Amino acid sequence: MKILISGITGQDGYYLSLLALKKKLEVHGIVRRNSQKTYGVWEYDPTNKEKIRFYYGDVSDKTSLDSIFRSVKPEMVFHLAAQSFVQESWSNPEVTYDVNIKGTLNMLNSFREYIPDGKFYNACSSEVYGKVEDELQNERSRMWPRSPYGVSKLAAYWTCINYRESYDLFVSNGILFNHESPCRGVEFVTRKISLAVAKIKLGLQKELKLGNLEAKRDWGFSGDYVLAMYKMLQQDEPDDYVVATGETHSVKDFVKTAFETVDLDYKDYVVTDPKYLRPAEVQYLRGDSTKAQKKLNWKPKVKFEELVEMMVKADLERLSRHEASCR
Ligand code: NAP
Ligand code: F7E
């Protein structure tokens, strides 16, 4: 059984690949060429890197996708590639739309052309809810995105549904709430915090500058969430699912817990900097994953406190060993 992953060099691409390798699937991944010929998180896991078949391609370049789909002919496609940083989407809205909307359309068209009987997963996001109305957001909640990123994910979500309905394709959307890990990109708030806490503890940094401390997120563990993605493609019918823990915590809660992990008080180190405030903010997210729990028999395992501790400890170890491994 062959799977093809776009965005394989990112956080979820890494954990999904590890899961697929464990299940003895053949893993093929699309990588953007860069001047150093590096493969993101895989550089720190050479043993598993050798088991992956990488292909140069870009989701905004349909020609590159066609040639990959034609030669791999995968049974399952996980489309994870995206410009995924919300803050960046205000500075680079065109790139965000090109990659996230046109890129998804390109992936769907190659999928339809070369493997119409295959299965396709699309990485949608809780950012589509944005200005939330419901205390708990589920598949039926109103979608009102608050950033170019959120708008792009909403457009891609509907494009997937439209392709499913128009061409009778197996295309499923996972509406995933925030999920983190030691492999999380360093600009996202959780990893920015865990890295800073580790550096401060080791005397390598003096303060931590953050934006809105009151924003609340439903944070889970990436390793748990990739299992939900996989399960969506094991169903007989395509569908859309919310994947979340059902708990919400503020950025301040995350900071406080992270500093407590190393016996420090965040109030001594955290300063707010307007530079990190967003033109429009998503203040509150809390997901209701009842449908995924019932239909996919999926449940998150890692709790909030465990996640924070896992990330801080990983960064402490990494810095102490002068290594960058992120598993
Ligand atoms: P990530 O770490 O930022 O990874 C994004 C991946 O997309 C990277 O491999 C990146 O390659 C690749 N990529 C970006 N532009 C591309 C292009 N034009 N062509 C080909 N590849 C491209 O993101 P993640 O956290 O793993 O998230 C995976 C997906 O889930 C994304 O679609 C994200 O929007 C969505 N999502 C994430 C969360 C979350 O909390 N993590 C929640 C909901 C939805 P490079 O390594 O070359 O940059
Ligand atoms: O921000 C606040 C910020 O950038 C979380 C992506 O994976 O999840 C992620 O999007 C919150 C926001 O993630 C800083 O204002 C405060 O309220 O870690 P973040 P995000 O925007 O929620 C969704 C589900 C995705 O789909 C996205 O791809 O934290 N915040 N101070 C800060 N955020 C950052 N980055 N940096 C700060 O200094």
Side-chain angles (χ1 to χ4, degrees), residues 84 125-126 149 178 184 187 189 192 211 215 217 278 281:
S84 73
S125 160
S126 52
Y149 171 82
N178 299 54
R184 184 61 141 152
E187 73 272 38
V189 79
K192 181 175 171 183
R217 290 290 182 276
R278 297 176 177 184
E281 176 66 287

Side-chain angles (χ1 to χ4, degrees), residues 44-56:
Y44 313 113
D45 187 359
T47 313
N48 283 312
K49 182 184 166 202
E50 281 198 356
K51 300 175 192 158
I52 311 288
R53 292 151 215 233
F54 295 103
Y55 305 81
Y56 283 128

Side-chain angles (χ1 to χ4, degrees), residues 12 33 44 112 160 168 182 189 246 261:
D12 291 1
R33 197 199 74 85
Y44 313 113
R112 183 179 166 223
C160 286
D168 195 23
V189 79
T261 308

Side-chain angles (χ1 to χ4, degrees), residues 122-178:
N122 178 54
C124 185
S125 160
S126 52
E127 282 294 299
V128 297
Y129 296 119
K131 199 165 159 184
V132 299
E133 282 181 327
D134 305 335
E135 162 118 31
L136 277 160
Q137 298 85 51
N138 64 26
E139 294 79 6
R140 294 173 307 285
S141 296
R142 183 186 69 174
M143 295 176 172
W144 187 306
R146 299 270 286 163
S147 62
Y149 171 82
V151 172
S152 74
K153 284 287 171 179
L154 185 57
Y157 165 85
W158 280 113
T159 306
C160 286
I161 294 176
N162 179 252
Y163 265 53
R164 178 165 83 209
E165 294 176 350
S166 305
Y167 306 119
D168 195 23
L169 298 171
F170 190 116
V171 178
S172 292
N173 282 296
I175 310 171
L176 270 57
F177 282 61
N178 299 54

Side-chain angles (χ1 to χ4, degrees), residues 11 82-87 123-128 149 153 176-180 184 186-193 208-217 219 251 273 276-278 281-283 285:
Q11 169 188 260
Q83 189 304 93
S84 73
F85 190 34
V86 173
Q87 179 99 49
C124 185
S125 160
S126 52
E127 282 294 299
V128 297
Y149 171 82
K153 284 287 171 179
L176 270 57
F177 282 61
N178 299 54
H179 48 280
E180 320 293 315
R184 184 61 141 152
V186 290
E187 73 272 38
F188 298 96
V189 79
T190 56
R191 183 75 200 291
K192 181 175 171 183
I193 295 168
L208 168 59
K209 289 183 182 168
L210 292 171
N212 179 7
L213 298 180
E214 306 306 325
K216 289 188 153 186
R217 290 290 182 276
W219 279 296
V251 172
D273 185 336
Y276 298 107
L277 297 176
R278 297 176 177 184
E281 176 66 287
V282 174
Q283 277 299 347
L285 288 171

